Amino acid sequence: AEMPPKPVRLGLCAACHGETGMAQIPGAPNLAGQKLDYLRNALKDYRDGSRNVPLMRAAIGPVSDADLDQLARWYSAQTPQPSAAQP
Amino acid sequence: AEMPPKPVRLGLCAACHGETGMAQIPGAPNLAGQKLDYLRNALKDYRDGSRNVPLMRAAIGPVSDADLDQLARWYSAQTPQPSAAQP
């Protein structure tokens, strides 16, 4: 698959999920290579509160649907990197 | 990290998430290499309903905490495989 263009709002997500979708902090999931439909649904569920994660709801609140979709495509297209250590 | 023993209840999860954590059906997320703390929290949230996914709640309802933890460790320890096509 072709690599999507780098999303303009990537920095917002990258602080916790990394630019390539490998989690940077405890509690945050890896997103690299995750199924696109799953990521889209997760974003929808965070936005409408059916997944009640205040940080995620606040983070994506101001982001347009088009930008969210670009972010989902970006992360889904990344290749997961081996992690050095699992806790 | 050492590969955990194959969980006795793996078949229950593998139908949708695959034995190695690569999703088998639309809507199911990949679990291979996912952060262990994230997987543990997700299972807790499915069990108590704060993540309201009836299929997951039903699936893990009869599974002991020890078995769930074994499953989380198993999937977290897997190496994500490149997927042929997204989505």
Side-chain angles (χ1 to χ4, degrees):
Chain A
E2 208 175 319
M3 184 61 63
K6 200 163 178 170
V8 289
R9 304 300 300 272
L10 185 57
L12 176 72
C13 313
C16 299
H17 296 289
E19 286 221 347
T20 63
M22 301 308 290
Q24 303 294 301
I25 59 163
N30 298 328
L31 301 179
Q34 188 52 278
K35 293 286 190 184
L36 182 54
D37 64 344
Y38 178 82
L39 293 181
R40 284 173 166 155
N41 275 330
L43 288 166
K44 183 177 67 59
D45 290 349
Y46 287 133
R47 175 161 270 171
D48 71 18
S50 60
R51 268 181 88 170
N52 184 22
V53 180
L55 186 146
M56 281 299 298
R57 192 173 196 175
I60 71 179
V63 181
S64 72
D65 287 345
D67 282 347
L68 284 184
D69 205 68
Q70 198 183 27
L71 288 158
R73 287 175 178 280
W74 169 265
Y75 280 122
S76 182
Q78 303 303 310
T79 301
Q81 303 303 309
S83 60
Q86 283 286 344
Chain B
E2 207 174 320
M3 183 62 61
K6 198 162 182 172
V8 289
R9 304 301 301 272
L10 185 58
L12 177 72
C13 313
C16 299
H17 297 290
E19 286 221 346
T20 62
M22 301 309 290
Q24 303 294 302
I25 60 163
N30 298 328
L31 302 178
Q34 188 52 278
K35 294 287 191 183
L36 183 54
D37 64 343
Y38 178 81
L39 293 181
R40 284 174 166 155
N41 276 329
L43 288 167
K44 184 176 67 58
D45 289 349
Y46 287 132
R47 175 161 269 173
D48 72 17
S50 60
R51 267 182 89 170
N52 182 23
V53 180
L55 187 147
M56 280 299 298
R57 191 173 197 175
I60 71 179
V63 182
S64 72
D65 287 346
D67 282 346
L68 284 184
D69 205 67
Q70 198 184 26
L71 288 158
R73 288 176 178 279
W74 170 265
Y75 280 121
S76 183
Q78 304 303 310
T79 301
Q81 303 303 309
S83 60
Q86 288 283 351

Coordinates of all heavy atoms in Angstrom, one line a residue, chain A residues 9-49:
Chain A
R9 N -1.9 17.2 11.5 CA -2.1 17.2 13.0 C -1.4 16.1 13.7 O -1.7 15.7 14.8 CB -3.6 17.1 13.3 CG -4.5 18.2 12.7 CD -4.0 19.6 13.1 NE -4.1 19.7 14.6 CZ -5.2 20.1 15.2 NH1 -6.3 20.5 14.5 NH2 -5.2 20.3 16.5
L10 N -0.4 15.5 13.0 CA 0.3 14.3 13.6 C 0.9 14.6 14.9 O 0.9 13.8 15.8 CB 1.4 13.8 12.6 CG 2.1 12.5 13.0 CD1 1.1 11.4 13.2 CD2 3.1 12.2 11.9
G11 N 1.5 15.8 15.1 CA 2.1 16.2 16.4 C 1.2 16.0 17.6 O 1.7 15.6 18.7
L12 N -0.1 16.2 17.4 CA -1.0 16.1 18.5 C -1.0 14.6 19.0 O -1.1 14.4 20.2 CB -2.4 16.5 18.0 CG -3.6 16.3 18.9 CD1 -3.6 17.4 20.0 CD2 -4.9 16.5 18.1
C13 N -1.0 13.7 18.1 CA -1.1 12.3 18.5 C 0.3 11.7 18.9 O 0.4 10.8 19.7 CB -1.6 11.5 17.3 SG -3.1 12.2 16.5
A14 N 1.3 12.3 18.2 CA 2.7 11.6 18.3 C 3.2 11.7 19.7 O 4.1 10.9 20.1 CB 3.6 12.3 17.3
A15 N 2.8 12.7 20.5 CA 3.3 12.9 21.8 C 3.1 11.6 22.6 O 4.0 11.2 23.4 CB 2.7 14.0 22.5
C16 N 2.0 10.9 22.4 CA 1.8 9.7 23.2 C 1.9 8.4 22.3 O 2.4 7.4 22.8 CB 0.4 9.7 23.7 SG 0.1 11.0 24.9
H17 N 1.5 8.5 21.0 CA 1.5 7.3 20.2 C 2.7 7.2 19.2 O 2.9 6.2 18.5 CB 0.3 7.3 19.3 CG -1.0 7.2 20.1 ND1 -1.4 6.0 20.8 CD2 -2.0 8.0 20.4 CE1 -2.5 6.2 21.4 NE2 -2.9 7.4 21.1
G18 N 3.6 8.3 19.3 CA 4.8 8.3 18.4 C 4.4 8.6 17.0 O 3.3 8.5 16.6
E19 N 5.4 9.1 16.2 CA 5.1 9.5 14.8 C 4.8 8.3 14.0 O 4.1 8.4 13.0 CB 6.3 10.3 14.2 CG 6.4 11.7 14.7 CD 6.8 12.6 13.6 OE1 7.2 12.2 12.5 OE2 6.8 13.9 13.8
T20 N 5.4 7.2 14.4 CA 5.2 5.9 13.6 C 4.2 5.0 14.3 O 4.2 3.8 13.9 CB 6.5 5.2 13.2 OG1 7.1 4.8 14.5 CG2 7.4 6.2 12.5
G21 N 3.6 5.4 15.4 CA 2.6 4.6 16.0 C 3.1 3.6 17.0 O 2.4 2.7 17.4
M22 N 4.3 3.9 17.5 CA 4.8 3.0 18.6 C 4.7 3.9 19.9 O 5.2 5.0 20.0 CB 6.2 2.6 18.4 CG 6.4 1.8 17.1 SD 5.2 0.4 16.9 CE 5.8 -0.7 18.2
A23 N 3.9 3.4 20.9 CA 3.6 4.1 22.1 C 4.8 4.7 22.8 O 5.8 4.0 22.9 CB 2.7 3.3 23.0
Q24 N 4.6 5.9 23.3 CA 5.7 6.6 23.9 C 5.5 6.7 25.5 O 6.5 7.0 26.2 CB 5.7 8.1 23.4 CG 5.9 8.2 22.0 CD 7.2 7.7 21.5 OE1 8.3 8.2 21.9 NE2 7.2 6.7 20.6
I25 N 4.4 6.4 25.9 CA 4.1 6.5 27.4 C 3.2 5.3 27.8 O 2.5 4.7 27.0 CB 3.3 7.8 27.7 CG1 2.0 7.8 27.0 CG2 4.2 9.0 27.4 CD1 1.0 8.8 27.5
P26 N 3.3 5.0 29.1 CA 2.5 3.9 29.7 C 1.0 4.2 29.5 O 0.6 5.4 29.6 CB 2.9 3.9 31.1 CG 4.2 4.5 31.3 CD 4.2 5.6 30.2
G27 N 0.3 3.2 29.1 CA -1.2 3.4 29.0 C -1.6 3.6 27.5 O -2.8 3.4 27.2
A28 N -0.7 4.2 26.7 CA -1.0 4.4 25.3 C -0.8 3.2 24.5 O 0.2 2.5 24.7 CB -0.2 5.6 24.8
P29 N -1.7 2.9 23.6 CA -1.5 1.7 22.7 C -0.6 2.1 21.5 O -0.6 3.2 21.1 CB -2.9 1.4 22.3 CG -3.6 2.6 22.3 CD -3.0 3.5 23.4
N30 N 0.1 1.0 21.0 CA 0.7 1.1 19.7 C -0.4 1.2 18.7 O -1.5 0.6 18.8 CB 1.5 -0.1 19.4 CG 2.7 -0.3 20.4 OD1 3.2 0.7 20.9 ND2 3.0 -1.6 20.6
L31 N -0.2 2.0 17.6 CA -1.2 2.2 16.6 C -0.6 1.7 15.2 O -1.4 1.5 14.2 CB -1.6 3.6 16.4 CG -2.2 4.3 17.6 CD1 -2.5 5.8 17.3 CD2 -3.5 3.5 18.1
A32 N 0.7 1.5 15.1 CA 1.3 1.1 13.9 C 0.7 -0.1 13.3 O 0.7 -1.2 13.9 CB 2.8 0.9 14.0
G33 N 0.2 0.0 12.1 CA -0.3 -1.2 11.4 C -1.7 -1.7 11.9 O -2.1 -2.7 11.4
Q34 N -2.3 -0.9 12.8 CA -3.6 -1.3 13.3 C -4.6 -1.3 12.1 O -4.4 -0.5 11.2 CB -4.0 -0.4 14.5 CG -5.3 -0.9 15.2 CD -5.2 -2.3 15.6 OE1 -5.5 -3.3 14.8 NE2 -4.9 -2.6 16.9
K35 N -5.6 -2.1 12.2 CA -6.6 -2.1 11.2 C -7.3 -0.8 11.0 O -7.7 -0.2 12.0 CB -7.7 -3.2 11.6 CG -7.2 -4.6 11.5 CD -7.0 -5.0 10.1 CE -6.7 -6.5 10.1 NZ -6.5 -7.0 8.7
L36 N -7.4 -0.3 9.8 CA -8.0 1.0 9.5 C -9.4 1.1 10.1 O -9.8 2.1 10.7 CB -7.9 1.3 8.1 CG -8.4 2.7 7.6 CD1 -7.7 3.8 8.4 CD2 -8.2 2.8 6.1
D37 N -10.2 0.1 9.9 CA -11.6 0.2 10.3 C -11.7 0.3 11.9 O -12.5 1.0 12.4 CB -12.5 -1.0 9.8 CG -12.1 -2.3 10.2 OD1 -10.9 -2.5 10.8 OD2 -12.9 -3.3 10.1
Y38 N -10.8 -0.4 12.5 CA -10.8 -0.4 14.0 C -10.4 1.0 14.4 O -11.0 1.6 15.4 CB -9.8 -1.4 14.5 CG -9.7 -1.4 16.0 CD1 -10.6 -2.0 16.8 CD2 -8.6 -0.7 16.6 CE1 -10.5 -1.9 18.2 CE2 -8.6 -0.6 18.0 CZ -9.5 -1.3 18.8 OH -9.4 -1.2 20.2
L39 N -9.4 1.6 13.8 CA -9.0 3.0 14.2 C -10.1 4.0 14.0 O -10.3 4.8 14.8 CB -7.7 3.4 13.5 CG -6.4 2.6 13.8 CD1 -5.2 3.1 13.0 CD2 -6.1 2.7 15.3
R40 N -10.7 3.9 12.8 CA -11.8 4.8 12.5 C -12.9 4.6 13.6 O -13.5 5.7 14.1 CB -12.4 4.5 11.2 CG -11.5 5.0 10.0 CD -12.1 4.6 8.7 NE -11.5 5.3 7.6 CZ -11.4 4.8 6.4 NH1 -11.8 3.6 6.1 NH2 -10.8 5.5 5.4
N41 N -13.3 3.4 13.9 CA -14.3 3.2 14.9 C -13.9 3.8 16.3 O -14.7 4.3 17.0 CB -14.7 1.7 15.1 CG -15.7 1.3 14.0 OD1 -16.5 2.1 13.6 ND2 -15.6 0.1 13.6
A42 N -12.6 3.5 16.6 CA -12.2 4.0 17.9 C -12.3 5.5 18.0 O -12.7 6.1 19.0 CB -10.7 3.6 18.1
L43 N -11.9 6.2 17.0 CA -12.0 7.7 17.0 C -13.4 8.1 17.1 O -13.7 9.1 17.8 CB -11.4 8.3 15.7 CG -9.8 8.1 15.6 CD1 -9.3 8.4 14.2 CD2 -9.2 9.1 16.6
K44 N -14.3 7.5 16.4 CA -15.7 7.8 16.5 C -16.2 7.6 17.9 O -16.9 8.4 18.5 CB -16.5 6.9 15.5 CG -18.0 7.2 15.4 CD -18.7 6.3 14.4 CE -18.7 4.8 14.7 NZ -19.4 4.4 16.0
D45 N -15.8 6.4 18.5 CA -16.3 6.1 19.9 C -15.7 7.1 20.9 O -16.3 7.4 21.9 CB -15.9 4.7 20.2 CG -16.7 3.7 19.5 OD1 -17.7 4.0 18.8 OD2 -16.3 2.5 19.5
Y46 N -14.4 7.5 20.7 CA -13.9 8.5 21.6 C -14.6 9.9 21.5 O -14.9 10.5 22.5 CB -12.4 8.8 21.3 CG -11.5 7.7 21.7 CD1 -10.5 7.2 20.8 CD2 -11.5 7.1 23.0 CE1 -9.6 6.2 21.2 CE2 -10.6 6.1 23.4 CZ -9.7 5.6 22.5 OH -8.8 4.6 22.8
R47 N -14.9 10.2 20.2 CA -15.6 11.5 20.0 C -17.0 11.6 20.6 O -17.4 12.5 21.3 CB -15.7 11.8 18.5 CG -16.5 13.1 18.2 CD -16.2 13.6 16.8 NE -15.0 14.5 16.8 CZ -14.4 15.0 15.8 NH1 -14.8 14.7 14.6 NH2 -13.5 15.9 15.9
D48 N -17.8 10.5 20.5 CA -19.1 10.5 21.0 C -19.2 10.0 22.5 O -20.3 10.0 23.1 CB -20.1 9.7 20.1 CG -19.9 8.2 20.1 OD1 -19.3 7.7 21.1 OD2 -20.4 7.5 19.2
G49 N -18.1 9.7 23.0 CA -18.0 9.3 24.4 C -18.4 7.9 24.8 O -18.4 7.5 25.9

